[in-house]
Amino acid sequence: MSDTALLIIDVQVGVVEGEPRAARLDSVLDNLNLAIAKARQRGMPVIFVQHEEDDLPHGSPAWQLHPKLARQDGDALVFKRYGDSFCDTNLAQLLSEHGVNKLWIGGAATDFCVDSTLRNAVSRGYQVTAIADGHTTVSAFALSGEQVVDHFNASWSHTSATPQPLRVLPAAAL
């Protein structure tokens, strides 16, 4: 049993395929699938998180995981209503049951759900690796989606005041 899990957050049709489409989506999907393959080779749990709210109702076509993700029947699913994947979910219990103390994290949206989950995981003492080329978002405010992703990769890379190391690596280096 591995002490590491792969956490893929909110890569759902209605989150990443809207207008505008999420930044670098095709390469992000390829890189997440590479991370999934590496996790499976190492016997790591693969966990998919799905967000739901009034305009993204549970079970709707928009709520579904992106069809290009290499999901398998045995993969865990976590359903959430807040940005942080730990908030009012069974994620912490699921990780504990698997003996996980390290996480690889990717998904959408970089500046909201990925970042809030990553920061909570760090605060909870998990050793976190953000998949640098495995997360995405849409353009917002004055920044393009690409700029937001690049900014967060740089910010996370320079975060050192953490209980465990916070790493930022491309999928190929996992």
Side-chain angles (χ1 to χ4, degrees), residues 99-121:
V100 167
N101 58 25
K102 298 175 186 168
L103 293 172
W104 295 352
I105 296 178
T110 300
D111 42 346
F112 295 101
C113 300
V114 174
D115 184 58
S116 61
T117 300
L118 179 148
R119 291 184 186 281
N120 192 344

Side-chain angles (χ1 to χ4, degrees), residues 20-39:
R21 191 172 193 245
R24 304 175 183 142
L25 182 58
D26 294 323
S27 65
V28 167
L29 289 166
D30 289 343
N31 291 320
L32 288 174
N33 285 332
L34 176 58
I36 290 168
K38 288 181 173 218

Side-chain angles (χ1 to χ4, degrees), residues 2 5 9 12-13 22 32 35 43 49 54 57 65 82 86 100 102 106 119 121 123 126 129 145 162-163 170 172:
S2 177
I9 302 165
Q12 297 163 255
V13 173
L32 288 174
V49 178
D54 291 343
L65 291 170
Y82 304 105
F86 289 96
V100 167
K102 298 175 186 168
R119 291 184 186 281
S123 294
Y126 291 95
T129 300
T162 58

Side-chain angles (χ1 to χ4, degrees), residues 77-171:
L77 297 172
V78 172
F79 307 128
K80 69 178 182 65
R81 293 197 59 82
Y82 304 105
D84 173 11
S85 299
F86 289 96
C87 185
D88 288 341
T89 71
N90 66 334
L91 179 59
Q93 178 184 343
L94 182 63
L95 296 173
S96 177
E97 289 169 359
H98 284 280
V100 167
N101 58 25
K102 298 175 186 168
L103 293 172
W104 295 352
I105 296 178
T110 300
D111 42 346
F112 295 101
C113 300
V114 174
D115 184 58
S116 61
T117 300
L118 179 148
R119 291 184 186 281
N120 192 344
V122 166
S123 294
R124 290 170 177 257
Y126 291 95
Q127 181 181 321
V128 173
T129 300
I131 306 170
D133 51 7
H135 61 95
T136 186
T137 196
V138 296
S139 300
F141 312 108
L143 300 176
S144 70
E146 291 84 353
Q147 288 173 313
V148 173
V149 168
D150 293 344
H151 168 79
F152 276 86
N153 280 338
S155 177
W156 295 331
S157 293
H158 291 89
T159 300
S160 60
T162 58
Q164 297 292 323
L166 172 55
R167 302 180 319 159
V168 181
L169 297 173

